[in-house]
Amino acid sequence: MDAAGRILLNEGIGALNTNRIAKVAGVSVGSLYQYFPNKEAVLGALAEREGIELRSKFEGLLRLTEDMPVEQFVDQVIHAMFAMRERNALLIRVADAHSGDPGLLQQRVALAESLRDVVRRLIQRRSPETRPVDADVASFVIVHAIQGQLAALDQGLQPWFMEREELVAELVILVQRYLRPHPEP
Amino acid sequence: MDAAGRILLNEGIGALNTNRIAKVAGVSVGSLYQYFPNKEAVLGALAEREGIELRSKFEGLLRLTEDMPVEQFVDQVIHAMFAMRERNALLIRVADAHSGDPGLLQQRVALAESLRDVVRRLIQRRSPETRPVDADVASFVIVHAIQGQLAALDQGLQPWFMEREELVAELVILVQRYLRPHPEP
Amino acid sequence: MDAAGRILLNEGIGALNTNRIAKVAGVSVGSLYQYFPNKEAVLGALAEREGIELRSKFEGLLRLTEDMPVEQFVDQVIHAMFAMRERNALLIRVADAHSGDPGLLQQRVALAESLRDVVRRLIQRRSPETRPVDADVASFVIVHAIQGQLAALDQGLQPWFMEREELVAELVILVQRYLRPHPEP
Amino acid sequence: MDAAGRILLNEGIGALNTNRIAKVAGVSVGSLYQYFPNKEAVLGALAEREGIELRSKFEGLLRLTEDMPVEQFVDQVIHAMFAMRERNALLIRVADAHSGDPGLLQQRVALAESLRDVVRRLIQRRSPETRPVDADVASFVIVHAIQGQLAALDQGLQPWFMEREELVAELVILVQRYLRPHPEP
DNA sequence: TATGAATGAGCATTCATTCAT
DNA sequence: GATGAATGAATGCTCATTCAT
């Protein structure tokens, strides 16, 4: 699984074949197949492991930001998502690698839902501090707005006009303004 | 090229092979290779054509929204991006299909830059109406926030709690608030 | 198909793999797969072709022996089956090669039935000359009694105590006596 | 060996691999290789054991039928061969499974010879009661005529027009008539 | 110019066999 | 002696690419 992840991240989908995975993992193909019934199972297990990790980190955020004002938790969520950039990128690539596989798709949907769920609960918990929003809708918009930035960076877009921190700061503004009760002066 | 696009959209990456492309196009593989040096060239040309189309639509938006207030042009940009959803999805899939190819990557970067450029110019043109922002940064954030939603929808996330129009409306709010001069009460 | 047959006959089931078939046929694996969807299809086609050949030879026997007395037609049938020894052996090996395949099994059953059918009709046609027998039962017994000899020879049993012709002559006696009306003195 | 036989009979050649054999036998592969140098040795030993069993049963028949008239001993032989149908089928399958193996082939030849030998001796012992035949030839014909029926049944040919007992009865007639001194009226 | 049969390297997977524990 | 994880050659099959017609 580690090997598969490493290949996917460093060499791309094109280099992801079972013999390569086995070699990088330092074992033989046969051994690979002793633990996984087929290639997709390797990717599935990898996706699940990374997904669980991601989810648990996010659930931790829920507890961590319990008493924070909106301003701060937005900051925390965005920083957390950027911190998990690589793990997230890996998951996107796994999904791409076998976009046809229904199991993998389901896993991906479940993960997206679970990330959104954390944000949704964070918003609901602070409803008095925010403008009235449908927490479902708002969480969807926020999560995928941030994912959009991560995807851009992950696809090789390296903006010369800003540092990573500037982007993060700007995203914080984007989301804070989106949630703020009275944007009018 | 049309054939490749059709296959990619309808049958997925798994069915995208040169013989299939040729058959769908109604020609022989040989003919395919008379016009394209290899498979990636087909995808590259497809990406380029779709990219040009997308770009020209966006340039048209520049002219179209020349005299509109911020509120309206944000609305226009977002609707335009959603209207081009399918064409955009195709481009994402092409990029996924051969994520290792440097030519394709460069094209993708160029397209993203060119989309962002339109938004950047739209913002610059209205700098008095917006809060003071780095137009480069703001355009990056906006374009990829929207792309994030499109990617989510394209990857099979079908939110049961909102219609497409609600999402669009919410995105308009997100971006408008982001650009508005004084969100503080 | 010829290549597959040749391998099966000369080198046995163990050597029967697609790359070998292609090499013996003087083509590449790819070409093999342009004409057959998979390995079993090659064997299936081979079995069908040989089966048809065998059947047509046997149907020919029906016409050929129309006016012959029992004595002579028994002789003809046995000689014919021995003449088709190799073709028959091939079919048995094909069936062995993929004994699990239901399609192949069905083909084998169909062929056996069709051979038996010819003998059955030959017997029915001469019912006055033979003892009263159930033509179904008798044809089954006769066909498989002869097949038993062929299988023995095919499996490498090379009896030192008789020539091929002696065996054939003895079989003729076996079958003639089996059909003869009054064996008692 | 038991395990190998069970697999061969119940699941077919396709499922016959060393790991499966070990698992069914309730031991580890390693243990299997402590007693047998390789896979073929397992099959060889199985074939030998079953062959010995078959042979001893047949030798028993020699003694048992010592004083019986031809009519009865033919009946006995045929019933015995049908009674050993499963054991015999197993042997045929072992031979099929590795038809290329020379050791296995030799064993098969030896077994066939030894079965024939019993019948040969039975015939010789009763030479006054039968027509004058070469006991070698006659035993070959008889044994393989019966084996032919067994093979047919074993390969999935299930004749709808007769019961097992009818076939046996008919075979008895076949062989009795074959040996009878004066079949002419 | 168009065709499509032919090619063969490459991939997923299996399984007989070994050997460290 | 027993174990079973590890091995890797071998197999069925795919598909980008070529080239004789």
Side-chain angles (χ1 to χ4, degrees), chain C residues 25-37:
Chain C
V27 298
S28 65
V29 229
S31 294
L32 189 67
Y33 278 89
Q34 211 140 30
Y35 296 105
F36 300 99

Side-chain angles (χ1 to χ4, degrees), chain C residues 30-129:
Chain C
S31 294
L32 189 67
Y33 278 89
Q34 211 140 30
Y35 296 105
F36 300 99
N38 54 41
K39 188 185 173 182
E40 304 213 319
V42 180
L43 296 180
L46 175 63
E48 185 156 14
R49 191 186 68 178
E50 299 294 296
I52 286 171
E53 202 70 23
L54 223 53
R55 245 172 294 201
S56 87
K57 286 264 171 62
F58 257 75
E59 297 287 342
L61 213 63
L62 250 186
R63 285 188 300 280
L64 193 73
T65 60
E66 206 154 359
D67 305 320
M68 289 182 183
V70 174
E71 309 271 308
Q72 275 179 40
F73 101 64
V74 165
D75 196 83
Q76 291 289 322
V77 166
I78 291 168
H79 273 94
M81 284 187 75
F82 268 76
M84 295 168 193
R85 194 161 115 62
E86 189 158 271
R87 179 157 273 140
N88 190 60
L90 186 55
L91 280 166
I92 290 173
R93 294 206 191 166
V94 170
D96 286 352
H98 283 254
S99 55
D101 190 62
L104 240 38
L105 175 63
Q106 203 184 330
Q107 243 183 40
R108 182 152 181 70
V109 171
L111 176 65
E113 274 299 281
S114 111
L115 292 193
R116 188 178 65 75
D117 192 53
V118 170
V119 175
R120 186 178 56 73
R121 281 186 281 161
L122 286 168
I123 292 171
Q124 278 177 326
R125 199 185 276 170
R126 282 173 190 76
S127 48
E129 294 177 53

Side-chain angles (χ1 to χ4, degrees), chain A residues 11-124:
Chain A
E11 309 171 51
I13 299 172
L16 190 81
N17 58 267
T18 50
N19 289 292
R20 193 83 233 286
I21 293 173
K23 180 157 283 173
V24 168
V27 298
S28 65
V29 229
S31 295
L32 188 67
Y33 278 87
Q34 211 138 29
Y35 296 105
F36 299 99
N38 54 38
K39 189 186 172 184
E40 303 214 319
V42 180
L43 295 180
L46 175 62
E48 184 156 15
R49 191 186 69 177
E50 298 294 295
I52 287 171
E53 202 69 25
L54 222 54
R55 246 172 294 205
S56 89
K57 286 264 167 66
F58 255 76
E59 297 286 343
L61 213 64
L62 250 187
R63 285 187 299 281
L64 193 74
T65 61
E66 204 154 1
D67 306 318
M68 288 183 185
V70 175
E71 311 269 309
Q72 276 180 36
F73 100 65
V74 166
D75 196 82
Q76 291 288 322
V77 165
I78 291 168
H79 273 94
M81 284 187 74
F82 268 76
M84 295 168 194
R85 194 161 115 63
E86 189 158 271
R87 179 158 273 142
N88 189 60
L90 186 56
L91 281 165
I92 289 173
R93 294 206 193 168
V94 170
D96 286 351
H98 283 254
S99 56
D101 190 62
L104 240 38
L105 175 65
Q106 204 184 327
Q107 240 183 45
R108 180 152 181 69
V109 170
L111 176 65
E113 274 299 281
S114 112
L115 291 193
R116 190 178 65 76
D117 192 54
V118 171
V119 175
R120 186 178 57 74
R121 281 185 282 162
L122 286 168
I123 291 171
Q124 279 177 327

Side-chain angles (χ1 to χ4, degrees), chain D residues 59-137:
Chain D
E59 297 287 344
L61 214 62
L62 250 187
R63 286 187 300 281
L64 193 73
T65 61
E66 207 154 0
D67 305 320
M68 287 183 185
V70 175
E71 310 270 308
Q72 274 181 40
F73 101 65
V74 165
D75 197 83
Q76 289 290 321
V77 166
I78 291 167
H79 274 94
M81 284 188 74
F82 268 76
M84 295 168 192
R85 193 160 116 64
E86 189 159 270
R87 179 158 272 142
N88 190 58
L90 186 56
L91 281 166
I92 290 174
R93 293 203 194 170
V94 170
D96 287 351
H98 284 255
S99 57
D101 189 60
L104 239 38
L105 175 65
Q106 202 184 330
Q107 242 182 43
R108 181 149 182 72
V109 171
L111 175 65
E113 274 301 281
S114 110
L115 291 194
R116 189 179 65 76
D117 194 53
V118 171
V119 176
R120 186 179 56 74
R121 281 185 282 162
L122 285 167
I123 292 171
Q124 279 178 328
R125 197 184 277 167
R126 282 172 189 79
S127 50
E129 290 178 57
T130 66
R131 70 179 169 100
V133 284
D134 179 331
D136 275 315
V137 171

